[in-house]
């Protein structure tokens, strides 16, 4: 199979949130050997050890100590803003990329260029996701997006080639639907996760989030709605998370699914599952896939301690360097942000190769609307819900969601 055409990405997709624990700010440290940094990230129990190894190795390399806090929960933005006002932010803070602009706008973050971090070699989409008013504030060592996974055995048995266009996807999904199995699964949940999964259809059809009443937006929603309407996808997609979708695929209840590369470990571990992936199909042959860019960024808060901020800059520069990108990407099921590292990862791991190229042209969710993105994201998932639950036509759904 031609790997050069089997490219797509996947957020995480959904917004990672955390309740922030903080370190003290203010003052000045005179001896770099005595600097003790604190770092707060959003890593889960399974991912935290990967990052802790890198944090400690980098701390030893630059001659500081680091205490890492892995905190997940609600209220990230409010807590960060509160900690910023009281000058109790950690020295290094991980933010999901859609949150960077809002926190940077508050003045809580230090421009990374002040610490010699420019992002050279990173694709424009990756840099855009961490940029506010022309300055880079957050940098993601690894990224993800969405692609079309398929059960290779089922497609082979049906004599179906992996679809590349909407017409091919619709036909394949219908043909692969059978007793106890849908042709395709995806998340259309009433959340940012549902928006995330819809964006490749919206953007690849030429629609933009600043004009969601356009014919292009209606056409994208009509296509996704048609997959549910003809029975190729379950009506339950309006309540499924991306984890639910992955479970359906692994259980053999869906022949294809829209999902991201973070599922690679569970898919690879699934007994008897022969899977592969291609880019999410586009409206017409030759169209470009425009997929959303996911990934957590490292930022340097304004703590008021110049020496510690300088040390934090060195730590972030070390954490995001090439070899560490490869480690994180390999162990987490993601793609290195640096283009050269992404190419190397694709060469070393054929499964990553199915995602690496899309990273080069993937689009940041905040690139067009900046801080206003959450309002548009809410409008998008609301319209999808209205259409897929047969409460409105696609055109009506967009109009109602906007109202």
């Amino acid at each position: 199979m031609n790997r050069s055409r089997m490219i797509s990405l996947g957020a995480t997709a959904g917004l990672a949130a955390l309740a922030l624990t903080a370190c003290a700010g203010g003052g000045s440290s005179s001896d770099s050997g005595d600097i003790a940094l604190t770092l707060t990230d959003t890593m889960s129990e399974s991912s935290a050890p990967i990052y802790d190894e890198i944090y400690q190795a980098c701390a030893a390399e630059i001659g500081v100590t680091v205490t890492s806090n892995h905190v997940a929960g609600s209220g990230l933005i409010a807590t960060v803003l509160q900690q910023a006002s009281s000058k109790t932010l950690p020295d290094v803070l991980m933010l999901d990329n859609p949150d960077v602009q809002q926190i940077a706008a508050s003045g809580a973050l230090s421009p990374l260029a002040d610490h010699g971090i420019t992002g050279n070699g990173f694709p424009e989409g990756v840099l855009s996701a961490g940029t506010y008013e022309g300055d880079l504030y957050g940098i993601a060592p690894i990224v993800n997006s969405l692609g079309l996974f398929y059960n290779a055995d089922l497609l082979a048995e049906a004599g179906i080639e992996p679809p590349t266009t909407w017409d091919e996807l619709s036909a394949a999904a219908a043909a692969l639907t059978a007793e106890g199995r849908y042709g395709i699964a995806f998340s259309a949940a009433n959340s940012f996760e549902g928006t995330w999964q819809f964006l490749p259809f919206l953007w690849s059809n030429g629609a933009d989030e600043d004009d969601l009443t356009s014919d292009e937006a209606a056409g994208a929603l009509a296509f996704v709605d048609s997959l549910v309407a003809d029975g190729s996808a379950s009506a339950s997609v309006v309540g499924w998370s991306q984890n639910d979708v992955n479970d359906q695929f692994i259980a053999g209840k869906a022949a294809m699914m829209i999902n991201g590369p973070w599922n690679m470990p569970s898919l690879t571990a699934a007994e008897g599952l022969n899977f592969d992936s291609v880019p999410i199909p586009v409206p017409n042959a030759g169209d470009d896939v425009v997929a959303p860019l996911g990934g957590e960024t490292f930022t340097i808060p304004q703590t008021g301690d110049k020496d510690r901020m300088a040390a934090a800059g060195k730590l972030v520069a070390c954490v995001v360097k090439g070899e560490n990108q490869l480690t994180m990407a390999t162990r987490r099921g993601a793609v290195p942000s640096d283009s050269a590292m992404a190419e190397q990862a694709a060469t070393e791991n054929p499964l990553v190769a199915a995602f690496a190229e899309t990273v080069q042209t993937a689009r940041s969710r905040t690139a067009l609307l900046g801080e206003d993105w959450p309002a548009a994201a809410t409008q998008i998932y609301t319209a999808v819900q209205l259409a897929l639950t047969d409460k409105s036509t696609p055109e009506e759904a967009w109009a109602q969601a906007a109202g």
Side-chain angles (χ1 to χ4, degrees):
M1 193 170 293
N2 186 350
R3 279 283 178 182
S4 66
R5 299 188 60 183
M6 298 173 53
I7 310 294
S8 187
L9 255 175
T12 144
L15 178 66
L18 63 124
L20 181 66
T21 57
C23 71
S28 179
S29 304
S30 59
D31 184 353
S32 63
D34 295 330
I35 293 178
L37 301 177
T38 59
L39 181 154
T40 297
D41 67 21
T42 62
M43 290 299 99
S44 65
E45 183 178 349
S46 60
S47 297
I50 303 168
Y51 283 73
D52 280 337
E53 290 175 16
I54 292 171
Y55 300 155
Q56 295 307 317
C58 285
E61 181 177 319
I62 66 175
V64 300
T65 61
V66 175
T67 299
S68 56
N69 304 302
H70 313 292
V71 188
S74 61
L76 168 64
I77 301 302
T79 306
V80 168
L81 294 173
Q82 179 183 8
Q83 295 293 341
S85 65
S86 60
K87 299 187 183 300
T88 54
L89 285 163
D91 297 296
V92 176
L93 172 65
M94 177 183 281
L95 292 171
D96 196 12
N97 72 64
D99 296 329
V100 172
Q101 293 197 14
Q102 181 179 356
I103 303 305
S106 75
L109 303 179
S110 173
L112 295 183
D114 291 353
H115 307 278
I117 301 172
T118 64
N120 287 341
F122 285 43
E124 178 58 34
V126 177
L127 298 181
S128 174
T131 297
Y132 173 71
E133 293 189 344
D135 287 321
L136 183 66
Y137 287 93
I139 190 161
I142 57 176
V143 288
N144 58 67
S145 186
L146 291 165
L148 179 72
F149 288 87
Y150 63 90
N151 185 310
D153 292 336
L154 292 178
L155 266 68
E157 290 171 8
I160 296 173
E161 290 295 321
T164 61
T165 66
W166 285 5
D167 284 346
E168 291 176 359
L169 177 61
S170 181
L176 292 164
T177 299
E179 182 70 27
R181 184 185 73 216
Y182 288 97
I184 187 167
F186 51 87
S187 171
N190 192 35
S191 66
F192 288 151
E193 202 164 353
T195 295
W196 162 265
Q197 287 240 327
F198 181 69
L199 286 176
F201 298 100
L202 183 76
W203 286 343
S204 296
N205 203 40
D208 286 314
E209 55 272 32
D210 62 350
D211 182 13
L212 292 171
T213 59
S214 68
D215 291 343
E216 291 80 7
L221 185 50
F223 174 72
V224 173
D225 184 40
S226 72
L227 296 173
V228 175
D230 72 5
S232 297
S234 171
S236 297
V237 297
V238 295
W240 283 350
S241 70
Q242 292 180 116
N243 286 337
D244 295 329
V245 171
N246 193 53
D247 290 343
Q248 293 287 319
F249 183 72
I250 289 175
K253 296 179 180 180
M256 300 182 290
M257 71 167 176
I258 304 295
N259 227 317
W262 56 86
N263 292 299
M264 291 290 192
S266 63
L267 293 172
T268 303
E271 186 174 351
L273 178 61
N274 180 19
F275 74 94
D276 216 321
S277 60
V278 292
I280 293 179
V282 292
N284 301 293
D287 289 348
D288 292 329
V289 178
V290 185
L293 185 74
E296 300 90 358
T297 70
F298 285 92
T299 70
I300 301 171
Q302 295 276 12
T303 61
D305 186 319
K306 293 183 179 179
D307 290 340
R308 289 221 321 254
M309 288 176 66
K314 293 178 182 179
L315 182 70
V316 170
C318 178
V319 168
V320 303
K321 66 184 180 181
E323 58 263 40
N324 290 332
Q325 291 183 39
L326 283 171
T327 297
M328 292 180 230
T330 300
R331 295 174 65 180
R332 288 195 65 203
V335 178
S337 291
D338 181 270
S339 298
M341 292 298 103
E343 183 176 352
Q344 182 176 336
T347 300
E348 295 176 357
N349 184 355
L351 294 177
V352 173
F355 293 88
E357 188 173 313
T358 294
V359 172
Q360 308 308 310
T361 56
R363 179 171 158 184
S364 164
R365 283 160 283 177
T366 54
L368 183 60
L369 298 181
E371 299 167 71
D372 294 328
W373 163 250
T378 301
Q379 187 176 341
I380 291 169
Y381 72 65
T382 299
V384 172
Q385 286 269 310
L386 288 169
L388 269 59
T389 55
D390 294 327
K391 294 180 179 178
S392 305
T393 66
E395 291 81 4
E396 292 170 345
W398 287 121
Q400 291 174 34

